[in-house]
């Protein structure tokens, strides 16, 4: 193994999610599938104490509490909030349409991790932002892909100088997603960009900041005509020196050999590629991967071991980032509600773009 290869493997091995020095107790508001599959397994793995869980569906929180060894359960968020100690961190894991029903129940100055998206529209995101400001909430939005182990590794490779000057980001997802697993999405007027590609838009913003604009088109799948659009193409405008795009197709049910799920970065010094296995054979998923190639080395693509997957391990990072910020051990909260609002503004711009006609041909 050459010296540069050793160095890059080392920087990836040393990358990890933010963690508080002294984890605070967590009160989970919502007991849906994402809490069962990702939030609670991640917190257990990280040693973050969950002291209570609530859900308005009768018996739902109690069942999950018994299954996961959580001592207290409630059938209303208000009761859980009254129970919570003053140093509790709230994990608000409800559908986007319910955020503004539950968020006002939290005490002034509380710390809260809000499940993405930040509302269903930019107007709702604006209301959430205003409430967080008025009540002095230390609020983050759970854009946890930023903290996926392979993405933390990709960031470490870039910081180590592998990419050189970044000039290309490409996201491609071509898979089959069983949307029927989420009953609340069956009649959602917005689907793919708001609930899935929003992760990639937020990820791109974490690398390049806000784009100048976006060109987008999102369309329905005729095999799932009852659902809103689940296939999307987006080009993000970062000027003349960068190509950035996101292409997704969640209806590709022609076999694993032609499915894909990756983010790829290219720069003057090299390239990085991470594959998101959770999108493949969902919800079972496949392992996440990370690889890189040094320009001019002749070594080709090198695979780098990563510890963990987007689901559930990235959820350690989002909760860890919030808790570390609250205790003061870090000075920045990258997924704070102000930044999350800007991601929502990009989502809204994509929908506006999609609603506009394309540039017509001049056939004169």
């Amino acid at each position: 193994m050459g010296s540069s290869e050793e160095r890059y493997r080392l920087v990836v091995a040393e990358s990890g999610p933010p963690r508080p020095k002294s984890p605070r107790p967590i009160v989970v508001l919502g007991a849906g599938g994402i809490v069962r599959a990702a939030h609670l397994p991640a917190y257990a793995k990280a040693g973050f104490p969950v002291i209570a869980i609530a859900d308005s569906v009768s018996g739902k929180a109690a069942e999950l509490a018994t299954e996961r060894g959580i001592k207290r359960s409630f059938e209303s968020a208000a009761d859980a909030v009254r129970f919570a100690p003053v140093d509790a961190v709230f994990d608000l894991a409800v559908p986007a349409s319910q955020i503004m029903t539950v968020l006002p129940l939290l005490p002034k100055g509380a710390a809260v991790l809000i499940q993405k998206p930040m509302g269903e529209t930019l107007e709702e995101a604006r209301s959430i932002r205003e409430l967080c400001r008025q009540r002095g909430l230390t609020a983050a939005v759970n854009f946890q892909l930023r903290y996926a182990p392979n993405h933390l590794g990709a960031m470490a490779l870039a910081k180590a100088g592998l990419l050189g000057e970044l000039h290309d980001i490409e996201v491609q997802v071509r898979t089959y997603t069983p949307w029927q697993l989420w009953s609340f999405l069956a009649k959602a007027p917005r689907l793919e960009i708001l609930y899935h590609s929003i992760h990639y838009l937020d990820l791109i913003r974490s690398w390049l900041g806000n784009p100048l604009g976006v060109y987008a088109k999102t369309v329905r799948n005729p095999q799932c005509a009852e659902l809103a659009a689940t296939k999307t193409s987006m080009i993000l405008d970062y000027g003349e020196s960068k190509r950035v795009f996101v292409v997704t197709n969640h209806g590709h049910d022609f076999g694993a050999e032609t499915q894909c799920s990756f983010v790829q970065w290219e720069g003057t010094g090299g390239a990085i590629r991470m594959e998101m296995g959770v999108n493949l054979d969902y919800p079972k998923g496949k392992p996440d991967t990370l690889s890189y190639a040094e320009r001019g080395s002749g070594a080709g693509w090198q695979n780098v071991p990563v510890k963990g997957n987007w689901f559930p391990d990235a959820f350690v990072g989002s909760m860890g980032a919030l808790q570390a910020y609250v205790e003061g051990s870090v000075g920045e909260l990258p997924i704070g509600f102000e930044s999350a609002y800007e991601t929502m503004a990009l989502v809204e711009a994509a929908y506006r773009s999609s609603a506009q006609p394309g540039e017509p041909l001049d056939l004169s």
Side-chain angles (χ1 to χ4, degrees):
M1 184 183 297
S3 59
S4 63
E5 187 175 343
E6 291 174 352
R7 178 167 63 92
Y8 290 136
R9 286 179 180 271
L10 181 61
V11 298
V12 170
E14 292 179 344
S15 64
R19 297 285 294 269
K21 296 176 181 177
S22 300
R24 297 189 176 206
I26 299 170
V27 174
V28 181
L29 305 177
I34 192 67
V35 171
R36 180 187 297 271
H39 292 239
L40 296 182
Y43 302 160
K45 192 172 184 178
F48 296 165
V50 177
I51 62 169
I53 187 168
D55 198 284
S56 60
V57 177
S58 180
K60 193 171 184 179
E63 178 185 356
L64 189 53
T66 299
E67 178 184 319
R68 295 289 181 175
I70 300 169
K71 292 184 178 180
R72 299 296 299 270
S73 64
F74 300 89
E75 293 192 354
S76 81
D79 288 343
V81 170
R82 281 191 288 270
F83 162 78
V86 293
D87 62 341
V89 174
F90 295 95
D91 186 8
L92 182 52
V94 299
S97 61
Q98 298 177 23
I99 292 174
M100 279 300 288
T101 301
V102 180
L103 196 62
L105 302 175
L106 303 188
K108 290 183 178 180
V112 56
L113 181 63
I114 304 169
Q115 181 62 21
K116 67 83 196 165
M118 189 178 172
E120 294 187 308
T121 64
L122 187 61
E123 182 178 359
E124 289 183 14
R126 194 173 290 121
S127 297
I128 293 168
R129 181 182 65 172
E130 186 60 27
L131 181 65
C132 290
R133 288 173 173 175
Q134 289 178 353
R135 298 186 65 80
L137 300 178
T138 303
V141 178
N142 203 348
F143 287 121
Q144 77 291 135
L145 181 57
R146 293 188 184 215
Y147 300 108
N150 56 353
H151 181 249
L152 293 175
M155 293 175 62
L157 288 172
K159 289 179 181 178
L162 176 97
L163 283 176
E165 182 183 350
L166 175 64
H167 57 74
D168 197 285
I169 301 179
E170 171 181 345
V171 181
Q172 289 201 41
V173 175
R174 184 172 62 250
T175 186
Y176 179 77
T177 300
W179 297 107
Q180 68 273 13
L181 294 177
W182 301 276
S183 58
F184 71 95
L185 294 179
K187 297 183 179 180
R190 293 175 168 183
L191 187 46
E192 202 287 318
I193 300 176
L194 182 63
Y195 284 96
H196 188 85
S197 280
I198 189 171
H199 282 297
Y200 311 131
L201 297 179
D202 185 72
L203 195 76
I204 292 166
R205 285 189 58 251
S206 75
W207 285 75
L208 297 176
N210 290 326
L212 301 172
V214 59
Y215 308 91
K217 192 67 179 180
T218 187
V219 300
R220 294 175 184 263
N221 179 358
Q223 274 76 47
C224 301
E226 72 280 5
L227 296 176
T230 59
K231 300 194 295 181
T232 304
S233 299
M234 289 182 281
I235 299 173
L236 279 64
D237 183 1
Y238 283 97
E240 297 300 317
S241 62
K242 290 180 176 62
R243 184 192 75 142
V244 181
F245 72 91
V246 178
V247 178
T248 65
N249 175 5
H250 291 269
H252 187 77
D253 54 355
F254 293 97
E257 63 272 16
T258 51
Q259 294 182 349
C260 66
S261 170
F262 67 84
V263 181
Q264 185 165 291
W265 298 260
E266 295 185 24
T268 55
I272 302 170
R273 181 186 180 102
M274 75 174 199
E275 295 190 347
M276 301 155 293
V278 69
N279 293 330
L280 304 170
D281 193 23
Y282 191 90
K284 181 181 178 181
K286 296 183 178 181
D288 288 350
T289 65
L290 178 66
S291 57
Y292 70 89
E294 289 185 87
R295 189 178 298 279
S297 71
W301 285 90
Q302 303 295 313
N303 293 320
V304 185
V306 292
K307 296 180 180 179
N309 290 317
W310 179 0
F311 281 51
D313 299 274
F315 292 75
V316 173
S318 48
M319 175 58 75
L322 174 60
Q323 292 216 15
Y325 180 77
V326 170
E327 75 176 8
S329 57
V330 299
E332 184 180 1
L333 183 58
I335 54 172
F337 71 90
E338 298 285 3
S339 174
Y341 177 82
E342 295 181 7
T343 294
M344 289 295 294
L346 179 52
V347 167
E348 193 73 27
Y351 279 112
R352 289 199 306 269
S353 175
S354 183
Q356 297 298 317
E359 183 67 23
L361 281 65
D362 182 358
L363 299 177
S364 58

